[in-house]
């Protein structure tokens, strides 16, 4: 089912229900709500992170306080964002915030802005930064290698360097296992304490130059000289399902694949997009979640400007969302599983009903959207923009 009317955008969020948070001096690229309270973290190419205190009330009273997190040796905006904060993640109990930079520095802060620890590694741009559920390990995934820090043992770490090309994403499966993906078109499942992958998945295809780009199997790509390569079919993202039983991956080959560690080949090959698939997200629904009576779904967004919501068990899309007019860099389900938010370089944020794909809310922010994040009660969305601002959208009104 397609939902494609673009001539008029209804359900606009009015300005009095939007709080604009100004203060960053360069593009804001990431944000995350605290899992326990109304604190919002943001990271920017200006080399700082900020912790905003958001309170209920009219738009002009939403902001009560802001804490700026800056390392003493941090670069400035004149360094073209090389030391920008590109990842932020709260510990599950909300007591610590981790930040990751574009130069491989991982830092841990208290909510009031005190620096607890800082780790600087030659690991490239940090592309993923995640606490495990127990909160005793921090996964810091750089473009060149992955390091897991043991927070309870000062300086204790394990390094994982299994890929042969740039790493693009990582995601915890449980408290001790995680997966990584790369430009090398491989997915490695890694285990703390092991010095080799416990499982490796291959199956995404490379893309070959020509009058029309075509997909080839790995063995066909590997036989071609590098000058014949247009794209390598890199795997852009991976996500474990809430129960950790299934792993979804998305790629430049326009496909989403579903994997199980019990098998070597994908158990589902989802194809509907016509260009590179950049984002995938599982719904926080089904067994083991706070929403056990709602079906488990998977959402995907692509450079083709569409979003598909999938019934993974059937291997087919439930509906497609086609209002965006540019690349969609962020999609996220609400914690209650009822809504899906999307943000695009077309400067629009849309909020959709998961039940039937209806557009519920819309907001035009005047700048390309880089990230979106729901608060714990599913009634506010934080949005970061290339035009240096963060917006908080109040959906209750």
């Amino acid at each position: 089912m397609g939902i494609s009317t673009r001539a008029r955008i209804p359900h606009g969020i009015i300005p009095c229900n939007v709080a604009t948070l100004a203060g960053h001096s360069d593009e804001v690229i990431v944000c995350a709500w605290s899992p326990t309270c109304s604190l919002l973290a943001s990271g920017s190419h200006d080399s700082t992170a900020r912790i905003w205190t958001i309170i209920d009330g009219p738009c002009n009273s939403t902001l009560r306080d802001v804490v700026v997190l800056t390392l003493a040796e941090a670069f400035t905006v004149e360094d073209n964002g090389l030391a920008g904060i590109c990842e932020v993640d709260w510990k599950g109990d909300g007591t610590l915030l981790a930040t990751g930079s574009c130069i491989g520095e991982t830092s841990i802060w208290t909510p009031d802005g005190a620096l607890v620890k800082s780790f600087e590694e030659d690991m490239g741009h940090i592309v993923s930064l995640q606490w495990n559920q127990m909160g005793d390990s921090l996964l810091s995934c750089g473009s060149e290698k992955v390091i897991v820090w043991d927070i309870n043992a000062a300086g204790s770490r394990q390094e994982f360097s299994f890929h042969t090309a740039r790493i693009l994403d990582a995601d915890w499966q449980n408290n001790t296992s995680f997966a990584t993906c790369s430009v090398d078109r491989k997915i490695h499942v890694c285990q703390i304490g092991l010095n080799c992958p416990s499982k490796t998945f291959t199956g995404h295809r490379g893309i070959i130059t020509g009058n029309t780009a075509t997909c080839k199997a790995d063995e066909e790509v590997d036989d071609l000289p590098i000058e014949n390569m247009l794209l390598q079919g890199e795997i852009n993202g991976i996500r474990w399902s809430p129960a950790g039983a299934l792993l979804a991956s998305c790629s430049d080959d326009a496909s989403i694949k579903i994997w199980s560690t019990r098998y070597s080949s994908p158990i589902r090959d989802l194809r509907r997009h016509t260009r590179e698939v950049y984002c995938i997200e599982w719904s926080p629904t089904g067994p083991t979640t706070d929403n056990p009576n709602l079906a488990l779904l998977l959402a995907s967004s692509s450079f083709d400007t569409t979003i598909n919501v999938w019934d993974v068990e059937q291997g087919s899309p439930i509906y497609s969302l086609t209002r965006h007019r540019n690349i969609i860099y962020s999609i996220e389900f609400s914690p209650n599983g009822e809504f899906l938010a999307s943000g695009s370089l077309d400067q629009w944020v849309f909020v959709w009903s998961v039940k039937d794909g209806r557009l519920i809310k819309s907001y035009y922010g005047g700048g390309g959207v880089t990230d979106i994040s729901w608060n714990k009660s599913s009634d506010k969305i934080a949005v970061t923009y290339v035009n240096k601002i963060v917006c908080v959208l109040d959906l209750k009104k």
Side-chain angles (χ1 to χ4, degrees):
M1 175 176 65
I3 300 171
S4 57
T5 302
R6 286 178 169 174
R8 185 174 63 89
I9 308 296
H11 310 295
I13 298 174
I14 59 178
C16 67
N17 293 331
V18 179
T20 299
L21 310 180
H24 284 295
S25 59
D26 203 349
E27 175 181 348
V28 192
I29 50 180
V30 66
C31 61
W33 287 93
S34 166
T36 59
C37 61
S38 295
L39 295 179
L40 173 66
S42 60
S44 166
H45 277 315
D46 67 8
S47 304
T48 72
R50 291 173 182 251
I51 299 176
W52 314 81
T53 299
I54 309 299
I55 60 175
D56 288 329
C59 172
N60 57 11
S61 67
T62 294
L63 177 62
R64 188 175 69 198
D65 194 16
V66 60
V67 177
V68 181
L69 311 180
T70 307
L71 294 171
E73 67 276 16
F75 290 76
T76 63
V77 68
E78 286 75 19
D79 294 288
N80 297 317
L82 291 177
I85 303 300
C86 48
E87 293 291 328
V88 295
D89 192 48
W90 290 94
K91 189 178 175 183
D93 61 5
T95 58
L96 295 172
L97 174 71
T99 63
S101 80
C102 298
I103 57 170
E105 190 163 21
T106 301
S107 302
I108 299 174
W109 313 79
T110 64
D112 59 3
L115 179 63
V116 178
K117 294 178 182 178
S118 187
F119 313 104
E120 189 169 358
E121 289 280 341
D122 184 16
M123 60 191 303
H125 181 114
I126 293 181
V127 297
S128 183
L129 184 67
Q130 296 181 10
W131 296 91
N132 66 350
Q133 188 173 6
M134 288 182 62
D136 60 355
S137 294
L138 180 63
L139 172 64
S140 183
C141 176
S143 57
E144 299 173 8
K145 61 185 175 184
V146 177
I147 295 175
V148 175
W149 300 96
D150 183 343
I151 303 305
N152 297 324
S156 179
R157 62 194 281 282
Q158 183 176 353
E159 181 177 317
F160 301 83
S161 302
F162 304 138
H163 289 287
T164 58
R166 183 164 46 95
I167 307 168
L168 296 180
D169 201 9
D171 194 42
W172 285 106
Q173 178 186 21
N174 50 44
N175 284 308
T176 59
S177 293
F178 61 92
T180 60
C181 66
S182 166
V183 173
D184 64 13
R185 305 188 306 277
K186 293 179 181 178
I187 299 168
H188 294 311
V189 180
C190 307
Q191 178 84 30
I192 294 175
L194 296 183
N195 294 319
C196 61
S198 60
K199 189 80 174 182
T200 296
F201 297 121
T202 60
H204 282 289
R205 294 172 175 261
I207 301 175
I208 310 305
T209 54
N211 293 332
T212 302
T214 56
C215 290
K216 298 290 186 180
D218 283 353
E219 57 271 17
E220 298 174 88
V221 172
D222 292 340
D223 290 338
L224 291 172
I226 192 66
E227 60 267 21
N228 288 345
M229 294 292 294
L230 174 64
L231 294 171
Q232 290 185 315
E234 58 195 42
I235 302 173
N236 295 310
I238 49 175
R239 290 290 183 273
W240 288 100
S241 62
L246 301 175
L247 178 66
S249 61
C250 62
S251 167
D252 278 356
D253 68 7
S255 77
I256 302 109
K257 299 187 189 301
I258 309 298
W259 312 84
S260 166
T261 54
R262 295 180 297 170
Y263 306 99
S264 297
S265 299
I267 61 174
R268 291 286 184 273
D269 189 0
L270 309 180
R271 295 182 179 271
R272 185 71 173 268
H273 291 292
T274 59
R275 287 195 59 190
E276 302 97 311
V277 185
Y278 189 77
C279 297
I280 46 174
E281 293 292 338
W282 292 96
S283 60
T285 53
T288 77
T289 73
D290 293 334
N291 311 294
N293 296 324
L294 297 177
L296 178 63
L297 304 173
L298 180 72
S300 61
S301 66
S302 166
F303 282 17
D304 65 15
T305 77
T306 70
I307 300 165
N308 286 320
V309 176
W310 302 85
D311 179 331
V312 173
E313 185 175 348
Q314 298 297 321
S316 59
I318 302 171
Y319 48 75
S320 296
L321 309 172
T322 59
R323 285 190 183 272
H324 283 296
R325 299 187 180 187
N326 207 328
I327 295 170
I328 304 160
Y329 275 134
S330 188
I331 54 174
E332 185 169 324
F333 285 96
S334 60
N336 64 12
E338 296 180 6
F339 306 108
L340 175 68
S342 59
S344 167
L345 291 185
D346 65 10
Q347 307 180 34
W348 283 96
V349 173
F350 294 139
V351 181
W352 315 86
S353 166
V354 170
K355 181 178 179 180
D356 54 17
R358 287 182 302 111
L359 181 63
I360 302 297
K361 296 284 185 179
S362 62
Y363 181 70
Y364 183 80
V369 177
T370 55
D371 197 21
I372 52 179
S373 177
W374 287 89
N375 70 342
K376 63 175 183 175
S377 54
S378 301
D379 57 17
K380 285 187 174 72
I381 299 174
V383 188
T384 59
Y385 292 92
V386 298
N387 58 353
K388 309 177 186 179
I389 64 171
V390 181
C391 285
V392 177
L393 313 181
D394 190 338
L395 306 181
K396 295 194 299 293
K397 303 171 183 179

